[in-house]
């Protein structure tokens, strides 16, 4: 079984201690850093811009996994890739021509990801599978850290994984990421249901020792 990737979410880190907290999770074995971009329209909150991605790029060599929760993703793909994002995911619910944007992300040399809100069916990926490097299955309604995990996500993860594996032309390497309410209590079940990347905000940076919390999540995911 391939290694499960762990992606601590910067949204929950203490920005006053950004450098130390990033170093702590990197030392503890984080695989990616997840960076949530919120525009106050697609989701109620505002978060970061490309400047933070540029700063993170200077602080760490970990791949930066940018999650765009924005109304107009077409406008933001290039600035975030220029700032150092290794992958960019945008929401299907926010994009009229997802195939075009997925291809554009790949053409810029980044991992192309598509995020699905909890109420968007797994089946909506059906005609897009060859374009996907990553699917982000939201397990909370996006917008805030530390929300409770929605249990209906478990069967949805399995359906997404099965759909990707069955689709002709789909990249077998396409990763399935789960985002929202992930922690040691549900990690094992999420991996068993088909998750290959676990995003974790509160369960890592919300803890007094983020490095130890990452190690605990790694053990729980086994
Ligand atoms: C939620 C964001 C998540 C968030 C997860 O809208 O997309 O990435 O940081 O935080 P936790 O792990 O605390 O639910
Ligand atoms: Zn996210």
């Amino acid at each position: 079984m391939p290694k499960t990737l762990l992606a601590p979410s910067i949204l929950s880190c203490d920005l006053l201690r950004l450098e130390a907290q990033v170093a702590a999770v990197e030392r503890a074995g984080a695989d990616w850093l997840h960076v949530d971009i919120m525009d106050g329209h697609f989701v109620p909150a505002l978060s970061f811009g490309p400047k933070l991605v540029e700063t993170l790029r200077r602080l760490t060599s970990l791949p930066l996994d940018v999650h765009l929760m924005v109304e107009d993703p077409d406008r933001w793909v290039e600035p975030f890739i220029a700032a150092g994002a290794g992958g960019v995911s945008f929401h299907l619910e926010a994009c009229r021509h997802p195939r075009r944007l997925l291809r554009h992300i790949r053409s810029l040399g980044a991992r192309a990801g598509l995020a699905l809100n909890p109420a968007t069916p797994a089946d909506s990926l059906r005609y897009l599978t060859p374009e996907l490097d990553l699917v982000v299955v939201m397990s909370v309604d996006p917008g805030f850290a530390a929300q409770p995990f929605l249990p209906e996500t478990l069967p949805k993860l399995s359906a997404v994984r099965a759909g990707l594996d069955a689709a002709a032309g789909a990249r077998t390497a396409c990763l399935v990421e789960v985002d929202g309410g992930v922690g040691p209590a549900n990690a094992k079940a999420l991996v068993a249901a088909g998750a290959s990347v676990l995003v974790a905000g509160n369960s890592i940076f919300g803890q007094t020792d983020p490095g130890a919390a990452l190690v605990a999540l790694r053990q729980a995911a086994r």
Side-chain angles (χ1 to χ4, degrees):
M1 198 157 165
K3 183 191 182 197
T4 303
L5 304 179
L6 302 185
S9 173
I10 291 297
L11 189 64
S12 294
C13 96
D14 176 357
L15 288 179
L16 257 187
R17 293 185 289 162
L18 180 68
E19 190 168 2
Q21 295 215 327
V22 166
V25 294
E26 186 166 7
R27 261 197 319 272
D31 299 285
W32 295 354
L33 289 179
H34 184 81
V35 191
D36 288 308
I37 309 302
M38 304 180 178
D39 67 348
H41 294 278
F42 182 71
V43 290
L46 282 166
S47 64
F48 313 120
K51 186 82 189 159
L52 183 78
V53 171
E54 245 176 69
T55 303
L56 289 167
R57 189 63 300 150
R58 285 172 22 227
L59 287 182
T60 173
S61 57
L62 290 176
L64 303 175
D65 174 42
V66 167
H67 176 196
L68 296 177
M69 285 163 276
V70 304
E71 210 52 271
D72 190 5
D74 297 70
R75 203 176 128 198
W76 290 106
V77 157
E78 289 191 25
F80 279 101
I81 293 174
V88 177
S89 306
F90 62 90
H91 273 263
L92 183 60
E93 302 84 2
C95 186
R96 288 219 175 90
H97 307 294
R99 180 186 318 276
R100 184 179 296 149
L101 191 54
L102 288 163
R103 287 188 175 171
H104 186 51
I105 295 171
R106 267 199 197 155
S107 77
L108 296 171
R111 199 176 332 92
L114 191 60
L116 303 181
N117 277 339
T120 303
D123 190 49
S124 36
L125 299 170
R126 187 191 290 182
Y127 302 107
L128 292 167
T129 45
E131 319 297 340
L132 298 167
D133 298 312
L134 176 78
V135 176
V136 184
V137 176
M138 292 305 303
S139 39
V140 297
D141 280 311
F144 304 98
Q147 302 181 81
F149 178 82
L150 295 169
E152 58 268 35
T153 306
L154 270 179
K156 184 174 169 183
L157 270 173
S158 309
V160 165
R161 187 67 265 172
L164 289 168
D165 292 341
R171 302 196 123 197
T172 46
C174 180
L175 298 169
V176 179
E177 176 175 288
V178 57
D179 184 7
V182 174
N186 55 17
K188 202 180 169 90
L190 293 169
V191 172
S196 26
V197 187
L198 303 179
V199 173
N202 184 53
S203 69
I204 292 183
F205 289 119
Q207 310 304 306
T208 40
D209 183 344
L214 187 121
V215 171
L217 185 61
R218 171 84 64 208
Q219 270 158 6
R222 278 207 179 98

